[in-house]
Structures are given as C-alpha cells and as structure tokens.
Amino acid sequence: MNPTITSAVLPEDALEAFAGAVRDAVAARYPQAEAANVAFEAPRRPEFGDFATNVAFSLAKVARRSPNDVAAGIIADLEASAPNVTALFASIEAVAGFINLRLAPVVWQSLVARIVRDGASFGRRDGDSPRISLEFGSANPTGPLVVVQGRALAIGDTLARAFRYCGYGVFVEWIINDAGSQVETLARSLYARYCQNFDASYPFPEDGYPGDYLLPIAQTIVERDGEKWRDASESEWLPYFGQFGRDTIVAEQRASATRFGVQYDLWQSEKELRASGRMDEDLAKLAQMGLIYESDGAKFFRTSEFGDDKDRVIIRRDGSPTYFAPDIAYHYEKLSRADRVIDILGPDHHGYIGRLKAAAAAMGFPGHLEIMISQLVSLMRGGETVSSSKRAGNIITLDDIIDEVGVDAARFFFVMLATDSPLTFDLQLATEQSNENPVYYVQYGHARIASVLKNADASDVEAAHAVPSLAALAAPAELALARRLAELPKVVRGVVDHLAPHRLAKYARDVASDFHQFYSECRILVDDRETRLARLALCIAAKTVLAEVLDLVGVSAPESM
RNA sequence: GCGCCCGUAGCUCAGCUGGAUAGAGCGCUGCCCUCCGAAGGCAGAGGUCAGGGGUUCGAAUCCCUUCGGGCGCGCCA
C-alpha cells in the first residue's frame, strides 16, 4: 500500500484532488473547451461505485466524440499524469459516459477514524455568521398550543439546530399577538368563566373561546380575589382579565414549547412593539419615502410596487393600526439585526406572504426574508379521523399529543414529511413499539450499538476509541456504512440550503438501515483482535452519527430500550 | 375569477435543483436466531411518475397546456 495515502485522506479530499486532476487533463486535451465543471453525485446503484461524475457529457460536443470515449480518454490521461490521485481509488471506470469512482478502502477507513476522533463535533462548524433570525410557532395568546403549532415547532427547532451545526448564528423568536381584539375576547371569555363559578347561568359570549382550558385560570382568580370582580364595571375588569389571561396563557405556551425541547431567545410582544413607538417611527419613514397614501379615510402602504397583488391598509379609517403595521416594525427590526430572516407560518397565511416580502423590499432588504408555510396536520388514531375544532371546543393540544405519544415520536413524525406537504399523523402508529414505527427503528439502531459496546471488553472499547488500525474494514457492508456516515455534513448542509428538515429523518433511517445490514453481515466481537477493534471503531462512529442526527431532530438516543 | 402548493407501487411518502434499469417503509409471499438485542436481515411480486405537447445527448425533475385535489385571496389576527 502506498505509504503516502495511509495518513488521513478523507473522501472529500480525494474527490477534490480528482476534480483538480480532471480539470487539468481536460484543459490539456481540449484547450478549446471551457473550464470543466466537475461535480460528483452518488449513483443509485451500488455497482456504479461510490461517486460518479458526468463531465464527459458536456465535452462530447466539443470533442466530437461519444461521451464514453471522452470519459475513457480522460481516465487514461489521469493514470499517466496523476498516479498519486488515482491511487486513492479502488476503481475508476468509464460506463455509459459517466466516470464511476470507487474510493480505496483506506480513504473510508480514514473517515471512520476521523469520526471516532471528532465525536459529537464531527462535521460541525464553529462560528456565528451569517446571522439567521428564525420565527416559528407564534400564536394568539388565547389558548394552548395546538397540533399545527407543534409541527411548526418541530420544523423550526430542527432547522435552528441544523443552522447551528453549520456554523450560523441563530436567533429563535416568537411574536405574541397580544394587541388585537382577540385579547378583549379572551377577557370576556375568562370573565364569563369567573362569573359562572358563582352563577352557572351567567351567559358565555357568543364569539368567546370555548374549551376547558380557561376554567383553571378563572379558578385562580376566584381563589385570589373572591367575588371582588362580580360587581365591578367592565372598564375595570376588562383590562385585568385580559392581562391576567394573556400572561397565564403565554406562560403555558412557553412551558409547552420547553417541554417539547424548544428554547426561544425572544418572546416579542406586539403590544409592546406598539407602545415603544418603533411602529410609528417606521411608518413615518415609509410615509417619507412616499409609500403611504390615504384613500377612503384609511392609510394604505404601496406594497403592490414591490410585487404584492394590491396595496394594503395599515391604518384603518378609525385610526387604529391593522395587524400588518406592528408586523412591519417587527420585521424591520429583525432584518436590521440578521442577514437572513425566516418565518414559518401556518397554512392559513398564504395571502400574507406577498405583503411581508414587499415590506422587506421596501425597507431596503429585498430577498432577505424567506417564508415557509407549514402545511396542515390531520390526526388519526388507528383508522379513525380525530376531529379537532376550536369552535366546538374539543381542541387537541400539543400537550395532549406529547402525553399520548411522547416527545420523541411527536418530533420525528412532525419533521418526517416535506414541510409543504400535508401531514397525516397517526397517533396509534406513533405509540406502537413495532417495526411499523420509524422512530423506533432508528432508536433501536442506537440502542443495539450501545448493547454491543457493553458486551465488548472495556479494554477493547477503550482501544477502539484510541483509533487503532482500521485496515480490516473492507467488507461491502462495512464500507457502505462508512460511506453513509460520511454524508452527515452534506446532508445537514442540504437541510439548511433547501430549508428541508425532513431530509434528516430520511437520513436517520438510512444510517440505521446500513448499520443493521452491517450488523447482520459482520459479526463484531470476533476472535481476531484487529478486526474486532476495527469493527468496534466503526460501531462507535455509527453511534456518534446516529446520536447526532437524532439530536438535530430533537429526539433522544437511548442506550437501551 | 386570480395566486400558491400538490398529483410517483394497494397505502403513506422519498427522489439530493436534468443523469444510468424510478426508490424506501407499511401491507402481501417465502426464507434467516447453537452465536454481539429478530424492535433485525435477505429474496420476490407490485409503476404509462395524472394526460398531452415542448426544450436536449438525457426529463418524475425545467417550460406550455388539459384534467383532478388542497389552501389562500378582510379596514380579522
């Protein structure tokens, strides 16, 4: 074996060296062609190797030869011009115009060594830029978090973790919609519950918030203040009940988010945003730019000049601001302190995207605001549809879901599908500890590795951690697992670049699958010490990557189950 | 009516911004525990990628169009 390549050559190094050598070879052979763009992809079929590149296709025209001839010519050139590069590959073949590459086992062995050495920081980048502002889950402070917010929380928090892994500075925030008429409605509903405590016939407001969740809050007021508010005038009790209800419910929402594993950096009150004067300042600035005009006694923002369907009212005829006004101020603030601002909105906010993006553009940040819509979630239990209606008062809360299926299953299921496709969540399936349940499949993989490491001699495990010679790793299942583990950084980067957290769920299943296959084909605790230590090291690497992926989606990685 | 998303195996869904014989899980049929966790592995059956046109060496992927679904179009938030 070539001694120069036994010292840590990682897959990406090998590919980069190969790409460079190909560019040189192409430049020498086809000087009339543009500089070759050498990109690699992972072929679907294992017999096509670890990686493939399609450079030959774009050269075929210039070369006036078939792609396969071009590919074969390039390979022949490389053998002569860059033997130190071709030595990194077990095979380099021209097939149907592609150049198929199989890395030398030693490269995969270096990668396993790298993961064992780096541990949880494998592939992770330090840093805090660019700065990302992520807002998700935000709700009216009028009731508990429900299922659709659960999905937004799972998606948003997974994205936040992925961004951090990639070295971005992430700021996670929530806006409390506490400035509109809904707080008044909350106050009336809560007051009715309070009065019903003394007089069951007290009427509940028609547009009030039903459901049982206001009962304990009313009870708290009863216990503290007794009948004090029964004869008070509305101007007295309304602000009190509004504030108390709002504060209590926001605290409960925070508790639910925390229980779900989601930590926020900022809970921004919309009411506070108005009171601070920032909103008025920003609106004045827009007016100065000539972007605000009066019509019908109301004030309009010329969002249509920035791509929106039509202009939007920001100050009503009665002088009060619409919801859009403080949101402009909030987004202006976010855009000022972050390089990218990402909102995850609910499925009923399609119509809001245009005006928000227009506002961002008008304020001098075109293209800095990205909006994701997290689609509907419908609940099933077994084959039955579970109905949840806010109006009917039989809402199913995020806490209900956590109680029934646990945080792990809930987070995995919420993140499993592409964000823009509707999700059917089967509660029964999520609780089943069976092979129908993808969460357990992945967690089982992790627990199984932990079990093997427990069965092994402690001294062997220690030796494996110290990264022994891994030359024994050569079986297809071993190399396939190593190749899969190597993908982690690339997968996370894809999650971030495409705002597609569901790829992590898919990747987690792939890693588990490759491990299980390795496990059934290669016995780990064999007599031969070198093989045993090498396989233990591979187990440690697989466990590291599985734990990392599970952590990115906020799911625990159990040592046993 | 206008705008956004979607249509892939019996079911639920992937398909890495255009690549090779379209994949996975579940379900179905059959195998595999004297041995590290069978919550596992292997094999098989199952497809006109909604239909039609176009772009090019090459399309599930990009463009046009028809059909079929979901959602959004307040001086609500």
Side-chain angles (χ1 to χ4, degrees):
Chain A
M1 199 165 287
N2 186 335
T4 61
I5 61 173
T6 53
S7 61
V9 175
L10 296 171
E12 60 264 33
D13 303 330
L15 290 181
E16 200 176 313
F18 186 83
V22 169
R23 275 193 294 271
D24 293 345
V26 169
R29 192 182 256 257
Y30 307 110
Q32 72 277 30
E34 291 174 33
N37 177 25
V38 186
F40 299 96
E41 60 186 75
R44 286 186 216 280
R45 307 174 67 81
E47 63 265 33
F48 293 149
D50 299 322
F51 301 97
T53 178
N54 59 3
V55 266
F57 286 95
S58 50
L59 288 164
K61 205 171 249 176
V62 181
R64 311 186 68 174
R65 310 267 308 266
S66 77
N68 208 51
D69 285 351
V70 174
I74 291 172
I75 293 171
D77 289 354
L78 290 181
E79 306 279 3
S81 67
N84 56 327
V85 172
T86 56
L88 298 172
F89 295 86
S91 70
I92 304 174
E93 295 171 335
V95 180
F98 294 91
I99 298 177
N100 292 340
L101 303 168
R102 196 179 303 280
L103 282 170
V106 66
V107 179
W108 293 123
Q109 291 155 10
S110 315
L111 173 94
V112 173
R114 160 66 68 91
I115 297 174
V116 171
R117 230 186 355 253
D118 288 357
S121 67
F122 167 65
R124 193 175 275 276
R125 293 195 153 171
D126 290 330
D128 55 2
S129 81
R131 298 162 303 167
I132 311 283
S133 155
L134 257 179
E135 183 206 328
F136 54 85
S138 301
N140 291 340
T142 56
L145 299 184
V146 293
V147 183
V148 70
Q149 277 134 5
R151 188 177 190 191
L153 253 54
I155 290 170
D157 189 53
T158 298
L159 271 182
R161 292 171 191 231
F163 271 116
R164 286 195 197 98
Y165 178 93
C166 293
Y168 290 75
V170 183
F171 194 77
V172 176
E173 42 199 306
W174 174 294
I175 183 147
I176 305 165
N177 301 327
D178 56 358
S181 56
Q182 70 277 15
V183 173
E184 199 172 296
T185 306
L186 172 69
R188 294 183 194 285
S189 307
L190 184 56
Y191 186 70
R193 291 300 191 207
Y194 167 81
C195 291
Q196 283 171 351
N197 197 274
F198 306 102
D199 171 9
S201 69
Y202 191 92
F204 194 77
E206 260 184 42
D207 60 346
Y209 299 115
D212 296 338
Y213 61 88
L214 289 179
L215 296 176
I217 303 176
Q219 189 60 36
T220 305
I221 300 177
V222 170
E223 280 162 18
R224 193 199 310 183
D225 298 342
E227 300 194 29
K228 169 178 167 187
W229 301 99
R230 286 190 74 187
D231 299 321
S233 68
E234 180 174 306
S235 63
E236 287 177 296
W237 62 254
L238 192 80
Y240 178 82
F241 277 74
Q243 186 69 39
F244 188 79
R246 177 254 187 230
D247 290 350
T248 307
I249 287 174
V250 168
E252 287 172 1
Q253 289 177 339
R254 287 175 84 142
S256 296
T258 302
R259 184 182 175 206
F260 206 43
V262 184
Q263 294 293 337
Y264 282 88
D265 297 303
L266 173 67
W267 288 70
Q268 176 64 55
S269 157
E270 184 195 337
K271 193 175 172 187
E272 188 269 333
L273 210 50
R274 289 193 193 185
S276 71
R278 278 182 279 171
M279 183 184 87
D280 293 333
E281 275 173 43
D282 294 340
L283 295 187
K285 215 173 297 172
L286 291 174
Q288 221 162 29
M289 290 191 281
L291 295 175
I292 290 179
Y293 64 92
E294 227 174 291
S295 171
D296 261 356
K299 287 185 179 166
F300 285 74
F301 179 8
R302 295 184 195 277
T303 50
S304 65
E305 286 188 14
F306 301 90
D308 196 11
D309 299 338
K310 55 181 177 185
D311 294 339
R312 306 292 176 174
V313 173
I314 49 170
I315 303 291
R316 297 188 191 93
R317 204 178 313 160
D318 69 5
S320 65
T322 62
Y323 174 76
F324 188 31
D327 219 19
I328 289 173
Y330 181 42
H331 278 81
Y332 180 69
E333 189 209 307
K334 292 200 288 185
L335 288 160
S336 303
R337 62 172 145 81
D339 303 303
R340 283 170 73 184
V341 173
I342 301 169
D343 290 354
I344 302 178
L345 303 180
D348 51 343
H349 284 71
H350 264 129
Y352 201 62
I353 298 175
R355 80 192 70 171
L356 269 185
K357 288 197 164 178
M363 293 182 291
F365 300 99
H368 288 223
L369 173 65
E370 295 155 84
I371 297 178
M372 300 170 69
I373 294 289
S374 118
Q375 276 297 346
L376 281 171
V377 179
S378 50
L379 289 175
M380 307 264 291
R381 192 178 281 111
E384 308 272 310
T385 301
V386 179
S387 68
S388 173
S389 160
K390 206 161 204 165
R391 205 177 312 157
N394 62 340
I395 50 174
I396 294 183
T397 67
L398 176 58
D399 281 310
D400 292 337
I401 304 269
I402 298 175
D403 289 341
E404 186 163 342
V405 310
V407 171
D408 286 347
R411 287 197 59 145
F412 198 91
F413 272 73
F414 279 140
V415 151
M416 203 164 49
L417 295 194
T419 307
D420 53 12
S421 75
L423 169 69
T424 303
F425 191 148
D426 191 327
L427 294 167
Q428 186 180 314
L429 175 60
T431 47
E432 267 173 32
Q433 307 204 354
S434 76
N435 53 355
E436 289 183 48
N437 190 331
V439 191
Y440 287 100
Y441 181 77
V442 177
Q443 290 186 318
Y444 176 64
H446 187 269
R448 207 178 197 188
I449 300 174
S451 172
V452 172
L453 295 178
K454 251 173 268 170
N455 287 334
D457 283 348
S459 61
D460 280 353
V461 175
E462 201 177 319
H465 269 290
V467 188
S469 160
L470 300 178
L473 296 179
E478 293 170 323
L479 299 181
L481 176 56
R483 185 174 77 168
R484 183 72 71 190
L485 300 180
E487 290 174 357
L488 174 68
K490 200 186 74 185
V491 169
V492 184
R493 215 165 299 133
V495 166
V496 158
D497 290 345
H498 300 276
L499 301 179
H502 70 279
R503 289 185 188 179
L504 284 170
K506 166 98 161 50
Y507 179 66
R509 291 199 300 262
D510 289 341
V511 173
S513 169
D514 285 334
F515 172 75
H516 287 309
Q517 206 170 321
F518 155 70
Y519 180 89
S520 61
E521 283 179 28
C522 303
R523 187 176 167 78
I524 296 155
L525 302 178
V526 291
D527 290 339
D528 178 67
R529 179 177 153 87
E530 192 184 341
T531 305
R532 189 171 69 242
L533 293 189
R535 288 182 177 165
L536 280 172
L538 182 56
C539 283
I540 292 166
K543 185 168 184 271
T544 301
V545 170
L546 268 182
E548 186 62 40
V549 185
L550 286 172
D551 181 65
L552 284 167
V553 297
V555 174
S556 68
E559 292 292 309
S560 68
M561 51 195 288

